[in-house]
Amino acid sequence: MKRFARLFFAAGLALALGACSVMPPQEFPRAERVDLERYMGTWYVIAHIPARAERNAYNAIERYEQVEPGVIATVFTFREGAFDGEAERMEPTGYVLEGTGNAVWAMQFFWPLRFEFTISHVSPDYDTTIIARSARDLVWIMARTPMIPESTYDDLVARVASLGYDVSKLRRVPQQPLDQRDDG
C-alpha cells in the first residue's frame, strides 16, 4: 500500500512538474563551477520551499555519491512530522548536464521523467549550498551541519530572494544536533 502511495505521489509530481524543462534559462543564476568531488557527501536541509512529500520533514538529509562520471546517486531521508516520525526515503539519480559547470542536474525520481535542479550557490568552502529551480517553485538551503549561525541563514535567505523566490514560503526544517539524532 505504501509503495502504491509513493507511486501515486510520483505520478502527481510528474504531472505538476511535467511542463518544466531540464535546462534552466541561461539567465537563471547558477554556480559558475561546482567541484563534484567536494560537493559529494552529506547535506542537511536547513530550509526549503518543499515538494508536497517533504512539507512536514524533520531531520532532512540529502546524500550524494558520484557513481560514474556525471551520474550522482542521491539518497534523501527525513522523518515525517516529528523527530520520531516515520522514516521516509527517496533515491533519485542525478545526471549532470554538460556545459553547465556541473551546476545543473537532471534529477530522475522515476523513469522516464527528469527534472531540473540547479546549484545556484555553493560557498567557497563547500559548507552551504542552495539548490533551486528556474520555475521558482522549489528550493533547498542546505549545509554540512544540521545547524548554522543565524547570520549565515539570513545571508542564504537573501540569496534565495535574489533568485526571485517568495521567501515568505520558506520553511525552516527542524534539525536535531548530531548527538541527539536517529536518522534511521
Side-chain angles (χ1 to χ4, degrees), residues 6 9 41 43-64 73-80 87-93 107 109 117 131 139-142 171 173 175 183-184:
R6 284 192 176 147
F9 163 75
W43 292 94
Y44 297 86
V45 181
I46 303 301
H48 59 185
I49 297 177
R52 185 173 193 88
E54 61 179 309
R55 70 175 179 247
N56 295 314
Y58 281 63
N59 282 351
I61 300 171
E62 185 102 324
R63 293 178 177 94
Y64 301 120
T74 304
V75 177
F76 177 63
T77 58
F78 62 93
R79 296 285 182 165
E80 176 60 37
E88 299 290 340
R89 181 181 183 100
M90 295 179 207
E91 296 185 31
T93 301
M107 292 296 280
F109 290 85
F117 281 65
I131 297 179
V139 69
W140 297 265
I141 294 173
M142 300 191 301
R171 172 187 177 263
V173 175
Q175 293 280 359
D183 293 321

Side-chain angles (χ1 to χ4, degrees), residues 70-150:
V71 179
I72 312 299
T74 304
V75 177
F76 177 63
T77 58
F78 62 93
R79 296 285 182 165
E80 176 60 37
F83 290 123
D84 62 351
E86 185 176 344
E88 299 290 340
R89 181 181 183 100
M90 295 179 207
E91 296 185 31
T93 301
Y95 298 91
V96 179
L97 300 185
E98 289 186 31
T100 66
N102 299 326
V104 181
W105 299 3
M107 292 296 280
Q108 186 171 40
F109 290 85
F110 52 90
W111 185 86
L113 299 175
R114 295 181 180 184
F115 305 99
E116 167 231 331
F117 281 65
T118 298
I119 301 169
S120 289
H121 166 75
V122 63
S123 62
D125 54 3
Y126 282 70
D127 68 346
T128 61
T129 190
I130 297 169
I131 297 179
R133 291 176 31 84
S134 60
R136 293 170 177 87
D137 52 353
L138 309 171
V139 69
W140 297 265
I141 294 173
M142 300 191 301
R144 295 294 190 174
T145 58
M147 292 163 191
I148 59 175
E150 199 63 27

